[in-house]
């Protein structure tokens, strides 16, 4: 029904369940969509030309269950340390130069509550973070080892982070291209007679 802006339709019920946003060119049959409940919650703001903010803290997580914790704790080669046998969300990775790293969150921290809301699944944590007010500190209740604690994390604007990442990629690409050009010119110059080498630009 269209890979950019078209409706995502349930083939059984015939109901629209999302809005298609993009498709992975190297993954045939795989596309991404915004759920209809999310669309409904922001469509009036979009119609009025308002910007929709999305919180970002820079963590990669997974749902934690007591069974998962026991499995990892029984593995002598596990590099997670001792994981609390609890329900929550475990932090698998903290990205550099992000609100999470600045606040002091660590790998293997177990998040049990964000902004006063209990979390038992990774999807729940991402939803709360996505809806968090940008720039306002949010309390993350965590368990680190066997010690419960609260860490305040100040979410960034996700769109700003995407733009910064794009600019960094473009900068690195430009630097790589310029380096290749310089190397190519040096190779050409070295192949010329000595009296002509300084005329290559």
């Amino acid at each position: 029904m269209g890979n950019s802006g078209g409706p995502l339709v349930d083939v059984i019920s015939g109901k629209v369940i999302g809005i298609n946003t993009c498709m992975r060119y190297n993954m045939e049959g795989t596309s991404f969509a915004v759920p209809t409940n999310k669309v409904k919650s922001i469509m009036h703001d979009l119609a009025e030309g308002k910007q929709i903010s999305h919180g970002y803290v820079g963590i990669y997580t997974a749902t934690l269950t007591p069974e998962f914790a026991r499995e990892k704790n029984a593995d002598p080669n596990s590099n997670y340390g001792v994981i609390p046998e609890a329900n929550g969300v475990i932090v698998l990775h903290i990205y550099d130069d992000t609100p999470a790293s600045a606040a002091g969150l660590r790998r293997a921290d177990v998040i049990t509550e964000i902004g006063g809301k209990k979390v038992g699944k990774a999807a729940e944590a991402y939803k709360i973070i996505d809806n968090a007010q940008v720039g306002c500190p949010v309390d993350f209740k965590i368990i680190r080892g066997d010690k419960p604690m609260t860490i305040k994390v100040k979410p960034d604007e996700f769109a700003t982070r995407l733009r910064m990442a794009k600019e960094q990629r473009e900068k690195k690409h430009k630097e790589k291209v310029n380096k290749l050009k310089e190397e190519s010119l040096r190779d050409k110059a070295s192949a010329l007679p000595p009296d002509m080498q300084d005329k290559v630009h």
Side-chain angles (χ1 to χ4, degrees):
M1 301 297 288
N3 295 320
S4 182
L8 178 64
V9 179
D10 185 324
V11 295
I12 297 176
S13 66
K15 293 181 179 179
V16 175
I17 58 174
I19 303 298
N20 294 313
T21 57
C22 63
M23 187 174 184
R24 287 294 297 268
Y25 74 92
N26 60 343
M27 296 174 64
E28 187 176 350
T30 302
S31 59
F32 300 88
V34 180
T36 50
N37 57 350
K38 179 66 175 180
V39 174
K40 289 177 181 178
S41 69
I42 64 175
M43 63 182 183
H44 295 297
D45 288 338
L46 288 173
E48 293 174 9
K50 295 180 180 179
Q51 181 177 344
I52 308 301
S53 294
H54 299 276
Y56 169 83
V57 298
I59 57 176
Y60 177 59
T61 66
T63 298
L64 176 68
T65 63
E67 294 76 18
F68 176 86
R70 282 193 289 271
E71 179 184 338
K72 291 298 179 183
N73 291 337
D75 181 1
N77 296 311
S78 173
N79 55 1
Y80 286 96
V82 178
I83 303 173
E85 295 182 9
N87 289 299
V89 176
I90 185 169
V91 178
L92 301 178
H93 185 78
I94 303 287
Y95 294 97
D96 295 334
D97 191 27
T98 61
S101 64
L105 279 174
R106 297 180 184 174
R107 186 172 185 267
D109 281 347
V110 176
I111 303 169
T112 58
E113 191 175 301
I114 303 176
K117 298 179 180 178
K118 293 187 179 298
V119 292
K121 296 180 180 179
E124 295 171 350
Y126 283 119
K127 184 176 180 181
I128 296 171
I129 293 168
D130 182 69
N131 293 325
Q133 189 171 351
V134 173
C136 294
V138 177
D139 286 342
F140 279 61
K141 286 190 176 182
I142 68 168
I143 303 173
R144 179 173 293 167
D146 59 355
K147 183 180 178 182
M149 61 179 69
T150 299
I151 294 179
K152 291 187 179 293
V153 184
K154 188 183 295 185
D156 274 353
E157 169 57 55
F158 186 54
T160 301
R161 283 283 170 170
L162 286 177
R163 185 169 61 252
M164 290 171 59
K166 181 181 179 182
E167 290 173 352
Q168 289 175 355
R169 287 196 303 270
E170 291 175 346
K171 181 181 178 181
K172 288 181 179 179
H173 177 70
K174 186 175 181 180
E175 290 174 349
K176 185 177 180 180
V177 170
N178 288 337
K179 184 178 179 180
L180 290 172
K181 286 181 178 179
E182 290 174 2
E183 292 175 351
S184 177
L185 288 173
R186 283 198 298 269
D187 290 342
K188 289 180 179 179
S190 63
L192 294 172
D195 61 335
M196 296 181 64
Q197 289 183 6
D198 60 348
K199 297 180 181 180
V200 178
H201 301 288

